[in-house]
Amino acid sequence: MAKNTVRNGLRATTDGMVLFGLSVVETFVGAMALTLVSLSITVLGLFVIAPTFAIAAGVANVARRRAGRHGDPIAVPYRPVPSGSRLDAARTVLCDPARWRDLLWLVVDPIVGAFLALLPVSLVLYGVYGLVVEPFVWHWINGAGGNDWYTFVHVRSAGTALVALPVAATLLVLGVCTAPAVLRLHARWTHALLGPRRPVALVRPVSLPA
């Protein structure tokens, strides 16, 4: 039982690191998408709208698959895009609420989603830091004028460095044990933004014309 708990916690922590990396990608894709969508009022918009929403959908579908590892599978909710003219394709994606939720998600997930994904990772890394760094290099840190506090422990000697060890171990265990629950919360957050507004069958991602 304990072995499974540790394994699941470490796997969830690793997934949190992946999701945090995805949130960085979302930041750049979101900025690009908002810039290109603003061109929709021009003739150039006919050529960039469908590809822009396709890129956003590609990133969102990665998030849907990752969320399915820690919660219910998320169906792809997009309306079928006609294979005719660029005007028809642009009109379809612009009138699809799911596409606009993608853009909303690209804006807010790098804040909310990144925080949730990084929370257990931060606890684990800070715990490892306390277990490895504080007992051995505290004097070098102090000599260099670095921060000599580890949470509420003022590390000024070998004795206080040892006092920091149980605190670090607690943070490490807390990060590993809470990671699955935090990732499930992250999955529900993703489902709230990227899931369909009514039950639909799981379908393959729609590929848009270039």
Side-chain angles (χ1 to χ4, degrees):
M1 181 68 177
K3 186 177 181 179
N4 289 337
T5 300
V6 172
R7 184 187 300 113
N8 293 337
L10 292 176
R11 185 178 64 178
T13 302
T14 302
D15 283 349
M17 297 177 67
V18 174
L19 290 171
F20 178 74
L22 180 62
S23 70
V24 176
V25 176
E26 295 164 16
T27 301
F28 291 100
V29 173
M32 178 200 70
L34 291 175
T35 300
L36 294 178
V37 168
S38 67
L39 298 175
S40 62
I41 61 174
T42 68
V43 175
L44 181 61
L46 296 178
F47 299 92
V48 301
I49 286 299
T52 298
F53 277 99
I55 294 172
V59 178
N61 284 326
V62 173
R64 290 184 179 98
R65 289 192 294 270
R66 302 299 304 187
R69 294 164 58 95
H70 301 278
D72 295 331
I74 302 178
V76 178
Y78 306 123
R79 297 174 181 174
V81 178
S83 58
S85 68
R86 295 180 185 272
L87 179 60
D88 291 336
R91 184 185 298 112
T92 299
V93 297
L94 284 174
C95 295
D96 188 349
R99 305 285 180 177
W100 291 102
R101 289 199 301 274
D102 283 357
L103 295 188
L104 174 62
W105 170 78
L106 287 170
V107 172
V108 298
D109 190 68
I111 301 172
V112 179
F115 172 78
L116 292 174
L118 199 58
L119 182 58
V121 176
S122 300
L123 291 173
V124 169
L125 293 181
Y126 197 43
V128 171
Y129 170 85
L131 292 173
V132 176
V133 175
E134 290 296 345
F136 304 107
V137 299
W138 65 267
H139 51 288
W140 292 337
I141 296 175
N142 289 352
N147 180 28
D148 53 3
W149 285 89
Y150 184 78
T151 63
F152 56 85
V153 180
H154 196 188
V155 182
R156 300 292 293 176
S157 65
T160 52
L162 291 177
V163 173
L165 291 182
V167 179
T170 299
L171 293 177
L172 175 59
V173 172
L174 184 64
V176 172
C177 291
T178 60
V182 174
L183 267 290
R184 286 193 295 270
L185 180 60
H186 189 286
R188 288 196 292 269
W189 156 258
T190 304
H191 197 291
L193 266 70
L194 297 183
R197 288 298 176 263
R198 57 183 179 180
V200 296
L202 289 175
V203 297
R204 295 181 181 274
V206 176
S207 57
L208 300 179

